[in-house]
Amino acid sequence: MKKIMTYGTFDLLHPGHINLLRRAKEMGDYLIVGVSTDEFNHKKNKKAYHPYKSRKIIVEAIRYVDKVIPEADWDQKVDDIIRYDIDIFVIGDDWKGTFDFLKRYCDVTYLPRTSGVSSSKIKKDREKN
Ligand code: C2G
């Protein structure tokens, strides 16, 4: 069984998130998603609308996702990859190069982001209307 891992905040879910998760799942058989905790979002200078508990429920409901774990720290990826026996780490190419150090443990793939949509754009557009 080929196991895939990705991480993200996944706030205000939109087609960009779904496109990423669909393509990630298509690369293997089992997809684990590390959803950023509220505390970790603070470290990423991100303020999610939905708290972690809600974002976890939402991501767990996505057909491509097999398991959700909390992403609480920048440094947990190596442990996660080893613990869950991950074959491929996948993330959007806005992170290109950032996680190349994981190549010692698994394949690393950066997928093209979906243009024109983002959680922050949704928030901004809502404020305007
Ligand atoms: N994404 C995408 N297209 C968009 C928006 C997001 O492909 N229009 C991808 C991102 O590249 C990421 C995933 O969807 O792979 C989740 O995006 P975010 O929720 O913004 O997550 P991010 O803040 O990038 O967190 O340790 C890694 C970080 O936790 C990643």
Side-chain angles (χ1 to χ4, degrees), residues 15 22 24 31-33 35 39 43 63 69 71 75 78 89 94-95 98 105 107 110 114 117-118 127:
R22 176 180 46 72
L31 174 60
I32 304 179
V33 183
V35 172
E39 298 74 17
K43 290 183 195 166
R63 68 171 66 182
I69 62 169
E71 181 189 28
D75 303 329
V78 173
F89 169 86
D94 43 321
W95 292 94
T98 309
Y105 306 95
D107 291 343
Y110 300 99
T114 302
V117 65
S118 68
E127 279 152 21

Side-chain angles (χ1 to χ4, degrees), residues 6-11 14 16-17 20 23 34 36 40-41 44 46 71 74 77 89-95 99 111-119:
T6 191
Y7 296 81
T9 298
F10 295 100
D11 190 34
H14 56 66
H17 295 137
L20 187 286
R23 286 174 292 164
S36 310
F40 184 56
N41 272 333
K44 293 198 293 186
K46 272 198 159 181
E71 181 189 28
W74 285 114
K77 292 182 178 68
F89 169 86
V90 175
I91 200 160
D93 63 2
D94 43 321
W95 292 94
F99 301 111
L111 294 173
R113 265 176 81 91
T114 302
S115 57
V117 65
S118 68
S119 308

Side-chain angles (χ1 to χ4, degrees), residues 55-67:
R55 288 181 285 112
K56 177 178 187 320
I57 291 167
I58 292 166
V59 174
E60 280 174 340
I62 297 169
R63 68 171 66 182
Y64 307 117
V65 177
D66 296 289
K67 182 178 179 65

